[in-house]
Amino acid sequence: MNNKTDILQTHPQEFVCFLREEGIKRFYFVYNPQTQTMQSSHPQLQPLAEFIQSDPRDFMQHEGLFFQVSPEYDTLQGAFVHRTVRGQAAGGVRYWDYPTVEDYLRDGMRLAKGMTRKNALAGLWWGGGKGVMARNPEIETADEDIRAYLYREYGEFISSLQGCYVTAEDVGTSVKDMSDVFSGTRFTTCIPSVVGGSGNPSVPTARGVVCGMEAALDFLDQGDLEGKTIGIQGMGNVGGPLIGFLFEKNVKQILAWDIDLDLVNQVTAKFPDKKLEAGAVAREDTSIFAAECDIFSPNATGAVLNPTTIPLLKAKIVCGAANNQLEDPVRDDLALFQHNIRYIPDFLANRMGIVNAANEQYGYVKDDPLLERHLHKDWEHSIFQTTLQVLRKSCSTDTPTAEIAMRLADRLSLESHPIFGHRGRQIIASLVAEGSHLA
Ligand code: NAD
């Protein structure tokens, strides 16, 4: 592999072989704000640094990207630190298949940037980052022992970063995996509740989605949820409780869909006396987007709002928990706006997942006011208030909602932590100066 294209287009596992041949166990790319360039830890990897710094789509002056090849199971493990002005970079670790190194790097950078925005918009004193592990097809990831080892290795890697990134659970990672991460590092949240973790975030997440819906109705002068019809895609950990919360608000009817028939039947059985019309659908079925409803709520997977589905929507509000709902963040934000549909950005509506776990180290209080204020109507950073603020600004400036929310989040992300300042950058500088992380 002697040029940038070779490395970028290769499968992560071939890249791992290349790193082994070169004797590289750990490596990094760190941003130099003075020269506005990414510096690589190893000259052989400088072409990748150049790709990263010149990428306008996913790169946004990420402070540092750190990697290791896991010692035992040859898995590429990474920590993408985007911005640490508000505090340590926080965001979960994803365990996923990536066809190429480019896909892997892009996903990490994009997700890390998204966490900066989600955390800043929630008023949390955290920066943004993301962990990403590329699945090694050679290893049996369902094997409990292998998995435990792999996640412990990830935890040890996170320890080597001296606290500039604090990891958490994400797609492909379970609570059990997080306990294995915790055996290798203190820099993690989302650990099991038996060892002091905050437990399942799905119920607070569903409550947060309700707040986003209420704000959108308020903005449109349509009152509250009473008497409304809501369409829900995905009846899982968030979608299921969401149905219950919406019935508590006296909605008229809920239309709900999932690809899992057993789940549809289980959830339906919980609401025998309510007007819940639930059905199993094929994964690629887009007809649900055309359902007659006041609000459409995506709670399944990403990229569901795209040029095929947006023109089908009858609902004038879209508000759900699914991450990365827009297939293309700019194109589809604009399309929703042009269709006169109020899109409540996912990173605003689904913030309670991270809010619930972010401050585990500060302990727990019943009906915790620090959590509950996000769900109240009056706190300036609450989901309700922030949604109203975004919708009003979108209207007054003729600008799509996600763009407005991103601008607001980017501004907030540059406010310095009141006690620790921009310490993450100091930690990264210290890692580079000492070289200890590479050892
Ligand atoms: P989940 O896996 O429990 O539920 C998702 C459900 O969607 C599953 O039941 C699945 O069968 C269904 N589904 C998948 N594809 C579908 C399709 N095409 N049509 C209809 N149903 C489909 O996940 P979850 O924890 O409920 O999370 C839902 C979404 O919200 C995810 O995108 C997740 O990343 C995001 N999110 C969740 C939380 C949380 O606290 N759980 C927090 C923030 C964001």
Side-chain angles (χ1 to χ4, degrees), residues 201-202 205 233-234 236-238 257-259 263 281 283 299-301 321-323 350:
S202 308
T205 301
Q233 182 192 34
N237 289 319
V238 177
W257 308 274
D258 203 288
I259 52 172
L263 184 65
V281 289
R283 192 179 289 277
N299 296 287
T301 54
N323 277 312
N350 71 16

Side-chain angles (χ1 to χ4, degrees), residues 232-288:
I232 298 180
Q233 182 192 34
M235 300 167 68
N237 289 319
V238 177
L242 178 61
I243 292 171
F245 291 128
L246 289 171
F247 279 130
E248 282 173 18
K249 298 274 179 184
N250 295 322
V251 296
K252 182 172 88 184
Q253 186 186 19
I254 294 178
L255 314 170
W257 308 274
D258 203 288
I259 52 172
D260 179 343
L261 178 61
D262 290 342
L263 184 65
V264 169
N265 291 335
Q266 273 168 35
V267 176
T268 307
K270 288 186 189 158
F271 303 99
D273 308 324
K274 300 286 184 190
K275 216 161 170 229
L276 171 61
E277 274 184 33
V281 289
R283 192 179 289 277
E284 60 284 355
D285 186 349
T286 55
S287 66
I288 61 171

Side-chain angles (χ1 to χ4, degrees), residues 21 37 72 79 98 130 134 162 177 263 284 332 337 339 364 382 407 430:
E21 281 163 18
T37 54
E72 188 72 20
Y98 291 95
K130 201 81 183 180
Q162 315 262 32
D177 297 329
L263 184 65
E284 60 284 355
D332 301 324
F337 187 67
H339 281 81
Y364 304 101
S382 70
R407 283 188 206 161
S430 167

Side-chain angles (χ1 to χ4, degrees), residues 199-366:
N200 186 347
S202 308
V203 167
T205 301
R207 290 179 68 202
V209 171
V210 172
C211 297
M213 291 178 176
E214 288 179 321
L217 288 168
D218 188 271
F219 172 78
L220 291 174
D221 280 332
Q222 290 183 6
D224 54 24
L225 282 159
E226 185 166 356
K228 304 294 187 298
T229 297
I230 318 293
I232 298 180
Q233 182 192 34
M235 300 167 68
N237 289 319
V238 177
L242 178 61
I243 292 171
F245 291 128
L246 289 171
F247 279 130
E248 282 173 18
K249 298 274 179 184
N250 295 322
V251 296
K252 182 172 88 184
Q253 186 186 19
I254 294 178
L255 314 170
W257 308 274
D258 203 288
I259 52 172
D260 179 343
L261 178 61
D262 290 342
L263 184 65
V264 169
N265 291 335
Q266 273 168 35
V267 176
T268 307
K270 288 186 189 158
F271 303 99
D273 308 324
K274 300 286 184 190
K275 216 161 170 229
L276 171 61
E277 274 184 33
V281 289
R283 192 179 289 277
E284 60 284 355
D285 186 349
T286 55
S287 66
I288 61 171
F289 290 84
E292 291 287 351
C293 53
D294 298 289
I295 302 175
F296 186 85
S297 184
N299 296 287
T301 54
V304 294
L305 300 170
N306 54 50
T308 307
T309 57
I310 293 170
L312 300 176
L313 285 165
K314 301 261 183 2
K316 287 293 167 210
I317 297 169
V318 173
C319 178
N323 277 312
N324 306 313
Q325 290 166 35
L326 305 176
E327 187 179 88
D328 180 304
V330 176
R331 179 196 67 198
D332 301 324
D333 189 26
L334 182 62
L336 285 159
F337 187 67
Q338 288 171 338
H339 281 81
N340 218 15
I341 296 165
R342 267 55 183 201
Y343 167 61
I344 311 310
D346 44 16
F347 57 95
L348 166 52
N350 71 16
R351 71 156 72 149
M352 291 309 290
I354 187 89
V355 169
N356 188 62
N359 293 318
E360 282 179 352
Q361 75 276 30
Y362 291 105
Y364 304 101
V365 174
K366 186 168 162 35

